[in-house]
Amino acid sequence: MGSSKRSTFSEFWPYYLGEHSRPQTRFFHLLATLALWALLAAALVTRNWWLLLAIPVAAYGLAWFSHFFIEHNRPATFSQPLYSLLADHKMALYMITGRLGAELARLNITPRS
């Protein structure tokens, strides 16, 4: 799909999903996003702010692992970090609510070989 630079989030979203075409990659991203949410909640509830330091390690570690070893591509975070973060959360919400399959079909995104 070419360069990952997109000027709007609506342009970035299909690119992002295409870069996460394999179910295993999406699973690791869901785990990463859930880890982020859990660590943030734990830090807020316990007021142990040191937990916030674990967020980048847990979230990026899981997500980047999936790109390097499953999807075999470069994380979109490197080129568009804000859109990538927003898309991670959007994809997680679509997965949790069972809407991701329909979104992938709507955008005609299938796993790469």
Side-chain angles (χ1 to χ4, degrees):
M1 217 181 218
S3 170
S4 63
K5 276 289 190 194
R6 305 291 190 257
S7 61
T8 67
F9 183 75
S10 61
E11 292 173 350
F12 180 78
W13 176 240
Y15 168 80
Y16 176 88
L17 287 181
E19 293 296 296
H20 299 79
S21 67
R22 292 191 169 102
Q24 302 92 331
T25 303
R26 294 191 299 266
F27 174 75
F28 272 95
H29 275 66
L30 178 61
L31 289 179
T33 302
L34 293 175
L36 183 155
W37 292 345
L39 287 165
L40 181 59
L44 291 171
V45 168
T46 66
R47 295 180 190 229
N48 179 355
W49 308 120
W50 290 103
L51 290 171
L52 298 175
L53 295 176
I55 289 174
V57 175
Y60 286 120
L62 288 166
W64 290 356
F65 170 86
S66 69
H67 283 285
F68 297 133
F69 297 104
I70 298 169
E71 200 76 42
H72 303 289
N73 62 12
R74 187 172 184 258
T77 305
F78 295 165
S79 60
Q80 291 194 261
L82 181 58
Y83 282 172
S84 182
L85 180 63
L86 293 172
D88 280 338
H89 293 279
K90 182 175 180 174
M91 183 171 69
L93 290 171
Y94 273 51
M95 291 173 78
I96 291 167
T97 59
R99 296 181 297 160
L100 187 61
E103 183 70 352
L104 294 169
R106 181 182 78 79
L107 296 170
N108 197 30
I109 295 171
T110 56
R112 292 182 209 173
S113 46

